[in-house]
Amino acid sequence: KILIFNMRNLFKYKLFLFFISIFLFTQNINASTKNTKEELIYKSEYLIGPGDILYLSFKGLEIFDNNYSVESDGYVNLPELGMTFVKNKTLKEIKNFLEEEYSDFIKDPDINLKITSHRPVVVTLRGEVNQTGLFKLNYEKLNNQNQQFINQNQEFNVTGYQKSPRLFDLIKLGNGITQKGDLSDIQVIRNNSTSQGGGKIKTKVNLLALIEEGDQTQNIELRDGDDVFVPKSNILLLDQIIGINKSNLTPSEISVFVNGNVSNKGRIVLPQGTSLFEAIGAAGGVSSMSGNIEFVRLKNDGFNERRIIPNNKSALKGTPNNPILLSGDLIFVKRNLIGKKNKFITEYTAPLINSY
């Protein structure tokens, strides 16, 4: 009986270890797959689409060497083959396909491809940026000196003589991020090539590392159809805000409106990164008998953020009681109770005194 009891316990123990091993193995497989998917976006190849111009060269048949445009339906008109579908395929996939198709007409076809002109990149930008929406970015043509450098470096021949737009360029078009945006956790979703599994691939990019550490690998190339999302941070990242404001990611100046019990009322232009009390100081400072400050921010969703801030110029910069300003912010310095009474007496007794 003791032997049977021990055997049963041993069996249960081995069964338990077996299921634990299966669980850990599955978790490792999932983690490995996830990491691979995230790494793919850095290595993902360019997908051909309408508007691209391809240069095809046929070894031994130079008569076919020419530029071929990809039409709006994704087809390209090639010699002997006619209309050939190339949309959402990589150059390597197209090369392999064409060499197989041309084998009916050419003995051991040897075809080289490159992109001589890229179509514009249309991407969506969402989340904590000052301007969301659909953005169109163009490839930048390189000068002759850069073309000579490219000719000497075969790895650049795939992309021709054009510089691709990057993530930093897109964030600039969105007028930078909001104060609650997290540049260290930007999400990018992209179309994947058929040879790499198809569908969508997703990754996270730490663009803050580019600004603070000069890590150029985080400034990834954008591709047509990319979806970029800047998430919200649960805490106010003051160091990030100051670092971004020092960079060329956002405009160098902002325009705010200061009114109420200040010396100089109206619109004032200030350096990026200016706080509320710095703006009031730039407007001549608060006059005597001033009370609390009414702060209004116009938000992208159509609603206004309106709150009352204590008149305490020693409040720490970047805190809720001394926020970093954005263009369009409204600041109204109120009078205190005594100031309101004095204003009433002045406004209503001055005409009587003058008349007397």
Side-chain angles (χ1 to χ4, degrees), residues 47-105:
L47 301 183
I48 300 301
D52 288 331
I53 299 178
L54 305 177
Y55 182 80
L56 276 68
S57 61
F58 297 75
K59 188 176 181 179
L61 284 172
E62 287 75 14
I63 191 174
F64 287 162
D65 294 358
N66 205 347
N67 287 312
Y68 298 91
S69 300
V70 182
E71 304 298 332
S72 58
D73 56 3
Y75 283 84
V76 60
N77 192 6
L78 298 176
E80 301 298 335
L81 296 182
M83 302 304 290
T84 305
F85 190 74
V86 294
K87 183 180 178 181
N88 291 334
K89 294 183 178 180
T90 66
L91 287 177
K92 186 176 181 180
E93 290 170 349
I94 296 173
K95 173 182 169 66
N96 293 338
F97 174 77
L98 292 182
E99 288 183 343
E100 182 178 347
E101 291 295 310
Y102 273 110
S103 62
D104 295 337
F105 309 96

Side-chain angles (χ1 to χ4, degrees), residues 183-200:
L183 276 182
S184 65
D185 193 27
I186 297 177
Q187 300 170 19
V188 181
I189 300 174
R190 172 174 297 174
N191 295 320
N192 195 19
S193 63
T194 304
S195 61
Q196 292 181 337
K200 301 279 187 179

Side-chain angles (χ1 to χ4, degrees), residues 108 120 122 236 345:
D108 298 327
V122 179
L236 186 65
I345 293 171

Side-chain angles (χ1 to χ4, degrees), residues 92-313:
K92 186 176 181 180
E93 290 170 349
I94 296 173
K95 173 182 169 66
N96 293 338
F97 174 77
L98 292 182
E99 288 183 343
E100 182 178 347
E101 291 295 310
Y102 273 110
S103 62
D104 295 337
F105 309 96
I106 306 172
K107 183 179 179 181
D108 298 327
D110 185 3
I111 303 172
N112 289 319
L113 293 87
K114 67 179 179 181
I115 305 172
T116 55
S117 180
H118 295 78
R119 68 187 186 275
V121 172
V122 179
V123 299
T124 53
L125 178 61
R126 303 179 293 114
E128 293 298 319
V129 289
N130 292 315
Q131 185 176 358
T132 61
L134 200 65
F135 291 88
K136 181 178 178 180
L137 300 93
N138 294 311
Y139 275 73
E140 178 185 346
K141 291 186 178 180
L142 301 176
N143 55 35
N144 293 332
Q145 183 178 358
N146 288 328
Q147 289 185 21
Q148 292 173 3
F149 172 78
I150 290 173
N151 287 332
Q152 297 169 2
N153 294 269
Q154 294 299 319
E155 62 178 304
F156 289 100
N157 285 344
V158 173
T159 56
Y161 302 144
Q162 293 183 310
K163 179 183 176 183
S164 60
R166 295 184 176 267
L167 182 59
F168 194 86
D169 304 323
L170 176 63
I171 302 297
K172 285 183 67 175
L173 282 180
N175 291 324
I177 67 168
T178 68
Q179 292 186 13
K180 296 181 180 179
D182 188 358
L183 276 182
S184 65
D185 193 27
I186 297 177
Q187 300 170 19
V188 181
I189 300 174
R190 172 174 297 174
N191 295 320
N192 195 19
S193 63
T194 304
S195 61
Q196 292 181 337
K200 301 279 187 179
I201 49 178
K202 178 180 179 180
T203 192
K204 293 181 179 180
V205 181
N206 182 5
L207 200 59
L208 193 61
L210 169 68
I211 298 171
E212 295 182 343
E213 304 167 16
D215 185 1
Q216 292 284 347
T217 62
Q218 302 299 317
N219 192 21
I220 63 173
E221 294 182 5
L222 292 176
R223 302 284 168 78
D224 192 28
D226 281 356
D227 177 37
V228 180
F229 176 74
V230 180
K232 180 186 294 185
S233 174
N234 294 326
I235 57 175
L236 186 65
L237 304 175
L238 181 59
D239 292 338
Q240 172 182 280
I241 293 172
I242 294 174
I244 293 169
N245 288 334
K246 288 181 179 178
S247 72
N248 63 342
L249 187 61
T250 54
S252 59
E253 294 179 332
I254 60 172
S255 175
V256 300
F257 299 87
V258 183
N259 211 331
N261 202 27
V262 291
S263 301
N264 303 316
K265 301 177 179 64
R267 174 179 174 271
I268 57 173
V269 177
L270 301 165
Q272 186 72 245
T274 300
S275 69
L276 181 139
F277 282 102
E278 288 173 340
I280 292 175
V286 296
S287 301
S288 60
M289 294 178 288
S290 294
N292 291 331
I293 299 163
E294 186 174 1
F295 174 71
V296 180
R297 171 163 294 167
L298 308 178
K299 302 177 71 175
N300 293 330
D301 56 10
F303 296 94
N304 297 336
E305 175 188 349
R306 183 186 299 268
R307 53 195 174 93
I308 302 299
I309 295 176
N311 188 356
N312 178 17
K313 63 181 180 181

